[in-house]
Amino acid sequence: MRAIIFGHSGFLGKNLVQYCATRHYKVLGISRSTGLDDWKSKILIQMQEDENIVVINCIAITDLDYCEKNPILAKQVNVDFVLEVATFCKIKGIPLVQLSTDGLFPNLHDAVLPRYWQPQQDSAPVTEYGRSKLLMEQELEKL
């Protein structure tokens, strides 16, 4: 099994790489720091070597202040890029794991943490980051 992890150098991505290694997955890491220009060709090469592939996307702009100041860039990374990857994966028949965020919900945390949100709860993001992630989820549902 091969795991292609977008955002492998970030906090979550690093942990996923380690986890996949314990499961004996062959891991290909793709990130903004290693270059995103040729990600499709990298996946196609992996498909030639192994039919059992999963793509896990951890790439996102998560800095709340940065997203507020740069909403267009936040949308390009948090929505448009994800949709491009998801469309490619759908066409090629590759499973995609896309991670969500508690930023979809208002900050109503109780004194007892962590709080787990339920799928039936209404989302009401209060930040540009949360709004971009909600838009991404809504667009993915349409694919």
Side-chain angles (χ1 to χ4, degrees):
M1 175 64 103
R2 291 182 187 261
I4 300 169
I5 301 176
F6 284 90
H8 75 287
S9 60
F11 175 76
L12 185 55
K14 285 179 185 176
N15 285 290
L16 279 170
V17 168
Q18 290 176 354
Y19 176 80
C20 288
T22 67
R23 300 286 189 240
H24 306 289
Y25 284 31
K26 295 175 183 171
V27 176
L28 171 66
I30 301 174
S31 68
R32 289 181 281 185
S33 62
T34 61
L36 294 174
D37 296 336
D38 61 345
W39 64 267
K40 290 179 186 176
S41 63
K42 289 178 181 177
I43 292 176
L44 291 173
I45 290 168
Q46 297 301 308
M47 288 178 71
Q48 291 173 354
E49 296 176 11
D50 192 339
E51 292 181 5
N52 297 315
I53 294 177
V54 62
V55 172
I56 305 169
N57 182 44
C58 301
I59 288 181
I61 297 177
T62 59
D63 183 303
L64 300 180
D65 291 334
Y66 188 85
C67 287
E68 292 298 325
K69 294 174 185 170
N70 301 281
I72 293 171
L73 184 58
K75 181 183 176 291
Q76 289 172 338
V77 173
N78 295 348
V79 181
D80 301 340
F81 178 74
V82 175
L83 293 176
E84 185 178 355
V85 171
T87 301
F88 179 83
C89 287
K90 182 176 181 179
I91 291 168
K92 297 297 182 184
I94 302 170
L96 170 67
V97 177
Q98 175 60 45
L99 303 170
S100 190
T101 176
D102 63 353
L104 298 176
F105 304 99
N107 190 8
L108 301 175
H109 292 291
D110 301 328
V112 179
L113 293 177
R115 177 170 178 167
Y116 299 102
W117 301 101
Q118 301 302 314
Q120 67 274 15
Q121 286 181 264
D122 290 332
S123 53
V126 296
T127 65
E128 193 61 42
Y129 168 69
R131 287 186 287 275
S132 70
K133 295 293 275 190
L134 176 60
L135 178 60
M136 175 268 302
E137 288 192 8
Q138 291 169 336
E139 293 298 318
L140 282 178
E141 288 180 353
K142 296 176 187 176
L143 284 181

